[in-house]
Amino acid sequence: MAMRECNPSDFEVEEEEETPSSSPSSISSPSSPLLYIDIDRHVAFLEMMYNLVPYHYQSQEINRLTLAFFTISGLHLLQALDRVDKDRVANWVLSFQAHPRSRAEVTNGQFYGFHGSRTSQFPPDENGVSAYNAGHLASTYCALAILKMVGFDLATLDKESILISMRNLQQPDGSFMPLHVGAETDLRFVYCAAAICFMLEDWSGMDIEKAKEYISNCQSYDGGFGLSPGLESHGGGTYCAVASLRLMGYIEDDLLSKNTSSSIINVPLLLDWSMQRQATDGGFQGRANKSSDTCYAFWVGAVLRILGAYKFIDKIALRKFLLTCQSEFGGFSKYPGGLPDIYHSYYGYTAFSLLEEPGFNPLCAELGMTDLAALGII
């Protein structure tokens, strides 16, 4: 796979502070924004990212697999997966997997998932010991998702090493660290662990009861979920909580239509918080009193889709907002009138898929990829 050693952001849910975009008030709107979704331009944008990543992404090199996920899954959403060499992509992704030297090493406290890039893939020392293995949960989620997209049979992976060592990352409170040393714990990595188990069809990699308890402790007084217990409700954290519970089987799909109640989380309060995130400009905000941002059309929109409440949003207004974020070069920006980046572009594509825009493959909301990839139909 022809990728330079540059990458966009990691598996982020707090993009509001970390994207180097200007605020809405400091951006001048384009003179003639497109009034329709131009799929050809977006495919060309993603093909550029697939073949030659702009140098602006150098600081994100450590997240190289995440960039590949956004690019390849974006092409799949746009029904253009034929633009990539599937066998080459699969072999490239597999080259990032960390492998123990023996079965005994699987329980040595390290995580034998996938590295995010060559930068974190240190060679063994003179004794053959990989003392600096940096397998990462988010990179492993992206790796497995890509492999599913290109039709690789995940049953042929050494999933036992992934799952057994992943249990080393779960903390006593049910949360997960993304790698075996020196990292934070929050809902992002609970989601990654749940998605990994779901894709590998094996839940031995986590204690789902402890994870469920941690998720329920993250629900705030207003109905949304903070990334950790006691933190402010956040669109990305809320998605990670709801999607994880859905993948683990604790809440039903299209919950509102089932006339059932969940004792795990406060669904009415969650629904109220989520619906309030659609702003007057039609876009979605990640937190109260924040500007609308392209990516939250997915993070919050997918929550509403899982709950069965997506029909209640103003789809026409959302579509108009997203079109103001569409770049003339292809891709989407964070705010109207900005330059496109691969992170917001991908979640712009997922948002249009949720809106059932012609030319887009349907989205599996809880896995963040196409239904076709989630079902293994490639």
Side-chain angles (χ1 to χ4, degrees):
M1 184 175 181
M3 286 279 187
R4 285 191 174 179
E5 295 198 358
C6 327
N7 217 326
S9 57
D10 195 356
F11 182 78
E12 300 271 341
V13 296
E14 295 213 272
E15 193 69 14
E16 287 197 65
E17 284 71 36
E18 300 186 8
T19 301
S21 300
S22 303
S23 64
S25 60
S26 64
I27 299 175
S28 58
S29 298
S31 56
S32 56
L34 294 174
L35 300 179
Y36 62 95
I37 184 77
D38 190 333
I39 290 180
D40 289 341
R41 293 194 197 198
H42 293 293
V43 171
F45 173 82
L46 291 173
E47 283 192 284
M48 177 192 72
M49 291 292 179
Y50 176 76
N51 290 299
L52 187 65
V53 181
Y55 75 90
H56 305 85
Y57 292 90
Q58 287 177 349
S59 64
Q60 296 296 331
E61 194 281 329
I62 194 69
N63 303 310
R64 196 175 184 189
L65 263 177
T66 307
L67 169 60
F69 167 74
F70 290 148
T71 303
I72 296 168
S73 189
L75 286 168
H76 199 196
L77 282 166
L78 292 168
Q79 302 181 2
L81 192 60
D82 60 335
R83 308 303 174 94
V84 307
D85 184 328
K86 295 178 184 177
D87 290 336
R88 191 178 182 190
V89 167
N91 290 332
W92 180 77
V93 171
L94 291 170
S95 73
F96 288 102
Q97 187 172 6
H99 296 281
R101 290 183 304 167
S102 66
R103 289 291 96 186
E105 281 194 341
V106 174
T107 57
N108 68 358
Q110 298 192 41
F111 175 48
Y112 294 98
F114 287 78
H115 295 270
S117 74
R118 298 283 178 245
T119 302
S120 62
Q121 203 169 25
F122 295 98
D125 62 21
E126 63 274 9
N127 298 315
V129 177
S130 298
Y132 301 104
N133 167 33
H136 196 283
L137 272 179
S139 300
T140 304
Y141 158 79
C142 290
L144 297 180
I146 294 169
L147 290 172
K148 284 183 71 68
M149 286 173 223
V150 298
F152 182 82
D153 184 2
L154 296 185
T156 64
L157 283 177
D158 177 15
K159 72 174 186 178
E160 186 178 75
S161 294
I162 297 173
L163 294 168
I164 293 176
S165 65
M166 192 169 76
R167 290 189 73 101
N168 299 326
L169 303 180
Q170 191 166 18
Q171 305 302 297
D173 65 356
S175 65
F176 275 83
M177 292 200 308
L179 66 170
H180 73 282
V181 63
E184 69 273 279
T185 63
D186 59 52
L187 279 176
R188 291 174 297 176
F189 309 117
V190 173
Y191 170 76
C192 288
I196 289 166
C197 289
F198 185 88
M199 286 189 280
L200 292 177
E201 300 180 6
D202 189 332
W203 289 92
S204 64
M206 64 188 299
D207 185 329
I208 62 173
E209 285 295 324
K210 282 187 176 181
K212 177 191 72 173
E213 183 178 356
Y214 180 79
I215 292 170
S216 65
N217 288 336
C218 290
Q219 189 167 26
S220 182
Y221 69 93
D222 58 6
F225 288 78
L227 286 172
S228 299
L231 295 187
E232 179 185 11
S233 295
H234 185 282
T238 301
Y239 170 81
C240 289
V242 174
S244 295
L245 290 174
R246 170 63 189 146
L247 291 171
M248 291 188 286
Y250 285 118
I251 61 174
E252 295 183 80
D253 187 34
D254 197 13
L255 185 63
L256 297 185
S257 68
K258 301 294 195 306
N259 294 318
T260 59
S261 61
S262 171
S263 60
I264 300 170
I265 57 175
N266 188 327
V267 175
L269 205 58
L270 167 62
L271 177 61
D272 183 61
W273 182 88
S274 300
M275 289 297 298
Q276 288 186 47
R277 300 285 68 78
Q278 187 166 25
T280 55
D281 61 6
F284 277 85
Q285 57 184 195
R287 291 176 285 162
N289 301 314
K290 293 292 184 177
S291 300
S292 296
D293 178 332
T294 297
C295 69
Y296 292 108
F298 169 77
W299 295 122
V300 181
V303 169
L304 292 168
R305 169 60 65 83
I306 293 170
L307 295 177
Y310 197 72
K311 58 193 173 186
F312 298 131
I313 73 167
D314 188 337
K315 295 181 181 180
I316 295 175
L318 174 58
R319 188 176 185 278
K320 287 181 178 178
F321 171 81
L322 291 171
L323 287 175
T324 66
C325 298
Q326 180 180 216
S327 169
E328 62 181 313
F329 309 108
F332 289 87
S333 59
K334 177 184 178 78
Y335 299 127
L339 291 174
D341 65 82
I342 187 60
Y343 174 90
H344 290 92
S345 296
Y346 181 69
Y347 289 112
Y349 304 141
T350 58
F352 271 101
S353 179
L354 287 173
L355 288 168
E356 300 180 344
E357 184 79 12
F360 285 76
N361 277 324
L363 184 75
C364 174
E366 55 265 41
L367 281 179
M369 65 177 80
T370 66
D371 274 336
L372 294 172
L375 295 171
I377 304 172
I378 301 297

